[in-house]
Every structure is written in structure tokens, then in C-alpha cells.
Amino acid sequence: WDKEHVIHPMAPVGADPTIVMVGGDGVYIIDSDGKQYLDGASQLTCINLGYGQKEIAEAVTEQMKQLAYSHSFFGNCNTANIECSRKLAQLTPSGLNHFFYTLGGSGSIDTSFRIARTYWKNQNKGGKFKIISLHNSYHGVNFGAVSATALRYGQFAAGVQPVVPGFLRIPSYYCYRCAFDLKYPDCDMYCAKFLAYTIKQEGPDSVAAFVAEPVHGTAGSIVPPPEYWPMVRKICTENDVLLIADEVMTGFGRTGKMFAVEHWDVVPDMMALAKGLTSAYLPFGAVAISDAVVEGLKGAPVFGFTYSGHPVCSAAATKVMEIYERDNVVENTAEMGSYALNRLKAECESMPCIGEVAGLGLMIGVEIVTDKANHTPFPIEQNVPMEIGNEARDKGLLVRASDRLAFTPPLIVTKDEIDKALDILVPILAAVKPRSTSAVA
């Protein structure tokens, strides 16, 4: 039935289905054959609280009984969304007190771009429309979001070019593969300074915003140097450019802080949110907007979605945020992330095909290489990270495999569960051998 009716994202149309999932409990998910998998990927790095959280289901059920839907157009409100917004304002960095609601990460990113351009137009600076993003970034698949996405651009934007005009991309903070062929810390943070250079070359009067993930997610959990975010915050402020943090994946505890920008004491002008906002129990997203930007938007027309501020999704989000705080989930993330990272470093960094192990919280990336001395990756057509991921899945562990291998389990994971996961993964990594890069092995 699936093959007859369902078109799957990131799979060739007409391809055979793979696994039918039917249940989940804690950090485990179960397929239709009864096989249990330890979810070391939180699926798409989104189900932060794992499976079977009855409190969330109960909150959703009660809200459906009370008020299943109410739109938010023309000032129309619902109590569930008001409570959600108040709770969210208590968690977000100081000054980010206003929220526009969407149904997911791509929508939140698109919304942040629309708000940035609307903001400048409302300041009689309509010429400030350009959006700068980073290579290796993934921001989503809507037209605006994919226009800012630079990770495997030909794949994510396949079939939809030309994309939206007014988007530029610059090299990222990917130290292991520095686009400038420099070495940290002797590089003097040229990747950050290149943002200032680009703004100057384009003209500050033409640049609306700079958007970046605090940690590259889909590219494989790539962590920036500690100086990076404070520097780009300063550059954006000095050039009158809005700073947008894409916290869709990093937000709500994933990196060991409630929001990743808190690691560097940076407050962006906007934050795109989704995934962990409801722990993926319902589709929901938001854009957190600073007081200053809201002040500059006053009197401007704003668009809306039918489901903006949906009361049932809002109820789920409020309960999820309560659980994060009550159960010290962020603290657990920091502790378990440190444990997992240290074990992976100790056991894997000396392996012949492991170039780097790095991470922040439970967002850990493993660089797979065929030539360690020269940082040479396996040819993309050999699909080695995916091979590793498939072997791990066969042995009962789900990991995220793209350009790098990522270990991003639910934030409720325990030390014993991490050990169980790494007892599966480490031997698979140890068995990877160099291959010829001239032909597919």
C-alpha cells in the first residue's frame, strides 16, 4: 500500500519502501516485524524526549476536547497559544519575547526571511533584501529555505531552479575542511571576518540578514570555534544587519544548553524554532523575535498560516517545555553528551578512517575519511557513511548518515543506553578500511 500511494522525501520516486515503524518506548522504536532499534538519531534529530510520553498525549487530548482549533488572524487568540508563548518567553534568551508560529522548520526559516525584509521595508530601507548564509548549511526545503541552503545544493534544490533571488553563500566555520585552507587558531577567524568583507562588498544598504545554524546539523554536527558567534554578532550589529539563528535542530536542549547560542552568550535578532518545541509529537514551529525588531515592525502588515498558533500544538509544546525543566533534561544532555563524546574520541580517533570526532551536547559528528593524513573523504558515490548507517540499523541502532556520521539520540538517554549504542557503532567504525578514490569500490 505504501508503494502504491506514498511519495517519500529524500528517496527516488517509485523506490521500494524500507521499514514500517509501528511503536516506540523511551529511546527505542519498533518495526512491523517486532524488531527493536535504539534510536541514536532521534530520527531526524527531533524526538528529543523519546517515545511514549503519556503526559504529552494527555495534554493534546484534553486540548482537543476543549478547543480543537482557533485561528490567530486579525488578533484572534486562544488560551493554549497564549500560555505556550508565555512559557516560551521564559526559556528563550533575554529580549526574544515575541513569537510568530509556523508548522515546522522550513516554515520558520521562510518566515524569518519575510520578517527581515518586512522590517527593513518598514524602516524605509527596502533596498536591504539580501540574505547571507553559509556553505554546509541546511535550512529547509521551502523556496526561501532552500535558497539559503548550501549543503549538497544540487540535491536539495534539484528540479526547482531557479531559486529565490537575493541569497548569497559564504564559507562556513568547518575547521576540519577549511575553505581557506587555514588552521585554527592561527587562522585569526577568517571565516567570521569574511562575513564583514562580504557585507562591505555587497554594500550594507543591500543586506537584510545573516542566517546560520549555531552548530551545522544535517551536515553532520559541525561545531564552530568559540569565537565565531560573538564575532558574527558584532559584525551584524556594526553593519546594521539582522542576525538569524537557525535553532530548529539545536534548540531545546540538544547541545547541553536550552538554546545553542547560549554557549557563547549571544542573543540573535531572531531564532527559527521547531523540532524540539514539541519533541516532534506534533508538527509545530515558531520564530522568536527580539523586542527591537518587533518595535521596528509596528504598523507593518504580516502574513499568516491557517494553522499559526494552533491550540493543540501549543498545548503539546507547553507540556514538552514543562518536562524539559522539571526533569532536568538539558543537564542530562550535557552530561550524557560529554560521556558519549569522550568515549568516541578515546576509541575512534586513532582508527585509520576516522578523521575527527567532535560535538556539543548530544549532537556528535564523526568524519569518515579514506586518507587521514590529507583529510580525503570517500568519493560521494561510494556512500560510505550510509553503508555504516545501514549496518548499524541491521544490528539494532539508528544513526544519522549524511556527509558525516551523526550520533544524536533522544535527550533522555542514559549512560547504559549510550554504551549499548556505542558497543554497536564502534566496531563498525573500526572495520572501515581505506578504498581507492579513483573508482567506486
Side-chain angles (χ1 to χ4, degrees):
W1 290 345
D2 182 282
K3 189 170 183 179
E4 289 176 10
H5 303 295
V6 180
I7 295 176
H8 290 269
M10 298 304 295
V13 176
D16 289 334
T18 52
I19 303 175
V20 179
M21 295 301 186
V22 298
D25 181 46
V27 300
Y28 294 94
I29 189 167
I30 303 161
D31 71 16
S32 55
D33 294 323
K35 183 175 179 178
Q36 181 173 268
Y37 305 83
L38 198 160
D39 188 358
S42 300
Q43 294 211 42
L44 296 176
T45 317
C46 57
I47 189 144
N48 288 6
L49 294 178
Y51 305 91
Q53 292 276 0
K54 292 183 173 59
E55 289 179 83
I56 304 172
E58 289 165 359
V60 165
T61 301
E62 288 306 309
Q63 183 59 47
M64 283 184 172
K65 290 177 181 177
Q66 183 175 342
L67 178 65
Y69 172 74
S70 177
H71 71 77
S72 59
F73 283 53
F74 318 117
N76 201 53
C77 313
N78 67 78
T79 54
N81 187 244
I82 294 169
E83 290 168 356
C84 173
S85 301
R86 184 172 184 272
K87 186 65 181 175
L88 191 50
Q90 293 170 357
L91 299 185
T92 49
S94 177
L96 295 171
N97 295 310
H98 311 270
F99 309 99
F100 185 99
Y101 290 93
T102 71
L103 282 182
S106 292
S108 294
I109 286 292
D110 268 16
T111 295
S112 71
F113 297 159
R114 289 189 62 140
I115 289 173
R117 289 179 172 177
T118 300
Y119 170 83
W120 290 119
K121 188 171 184 179
N122 206 44
Q123 306 302 305
N124 297 314
K125 296 181 180 180
K128 288 174 73 71
F129 67 92
K130 295 174 185 174
I131 309 290
I132 301 175
S133 63
L134 296 177
H135 290 297
N136 302 302
S137 63
Y138 177 82
H139 295 294
V141 293
N142 292 355
F143 262 111
V146 82
S147 300
T149 292
L151 175 68
R152 285 179 273 127
Y153 176 76
Q155 179 180 1
F156 287 114
V160 300
Q161 289 99 341
V163 293
V164 180
F167 286 80
L168 301 89
R169 303 169 192 85
I170 63 174
S172 80
Y173 48 72
Y174 193 176
C175 292
Y176 187 79
R177 300 195 180 282
C178 177
F180 304 106
D181 200 25
L182 300 172
K183 299 292 183 184
Y184 176 81
D186 297 333
C187 61
D188 198 28
M189 293 305 299
Y190 191 71
C191 59
K193 291 181 177 180
F194 196 76
L195 172 61
Y197 171 81
T198 302
I199 294 170
K200 181 180 179 181
Q201 292 300 306
E202 293 296 323
D205 290 343
S206 74
V207 180
F210 171 64
V211 60
E213 303 158 280
V215 176
H216 282 309
T218 304
S221 300
I222 300 169
V223 181
E227 302 95 333
Y228 185 83
W229 272 90
M231 287 182 70
V232 299
R233 172 68 276 182
K234 185 172 185 289
I235 289 166
C236 287
T237 300
E238 290 174 348
N239 288 278
D240 213 13
V241 169
L242 297 179
L243 176 59
I244 303 170
D246 181 350
E247 291 260 11
V248 169
M249 190 178 290
T250 55
F252 300 99
R254 172 58 59 184
T255 66
K257 297 280 188 181
M258 187 60 73
F259 298 97
V261 291
E262 294 175 341
H263 285 282
W264 308 289
D265 295 322
V266 165
V267 180
D269 299 296
M270 285 185 273
M271 289 198 312
L273 309 172
K275 293 185 185 284
L277 178 56
T278 61
S279 186
Y281 275 61
L282 283 174
F284 203 39
V287 179
I289 310 165
S290 73
D291 299 342
V293 170
V294 168
E295 186 64 29
L297 286 167
K298 284 188 175 176
V302 227
F303 72 104
F305 302 114
T306 298
Y307 300 117
S308 292
H310 197 289
V312 178
C313 298
S314 297
T318 300
K319 181 55 66 175
V320 165
M321 288 186 281
E322 289 176 2
I323 294 171
Y324 286 143
E325 287 195 301
R326 183 195 69 201
D327 294 352
N328 299 316
V329 171
V330 179
E331 291 79 1
N332 186 70
T333 302
E335 183 180 350
M336 293 300 101
S338 177
Y339 175 76
L341 180 63
N342 288 337
R343 182 177 165 186
L344 280 167
K345 278 179 170 288
E347 298 183 27
C348 299
E349 282 191 326
S350 62
M351 293 177 183
C353 289
I354 302 302
E356 177 186 60
V357 179
L360 199 57
L362 284 169
M363 202 170 180
I364 300 170
V366 180
E367 187 88 32
I368 313 295
V369 294
T370 191
D371 182 341
K372 191 165 183 169
N374 296 306
H375 295 197
T376 308
F378 285 90
I380 192 167
E381 63 269 15
Q382 292 184 2
N383 219 2
V384 172
M386 188 63 71
E387 287 181 5
I388 296 169
N390 289 342
E391 185 176 350
R393 182 190 65 197
D394 292 343
K395 294 180 177 179
L397 171 67
L398 302 180
V399 290
R400 188 161 184 164
S402 57
D403 293 42
R404 288 157 51 116
L405 203 72
F407 182 63
T408 59
L411 309 187
I412 59 168
V413 71
T414 66
K415 181 175 176 291
D416 286 345
E417 289 163 343
I418 286 176
D419 282 334
K420 181 176 180 179
L422 298 189
D423 286 348
I424 295 171
L425 181 60
V426 169
I428 296 173
L429 295 175
V432 179
K433 304 299 181 189
R435 303 181 190 176
S436 169
T437 59
S438 59
V440 177

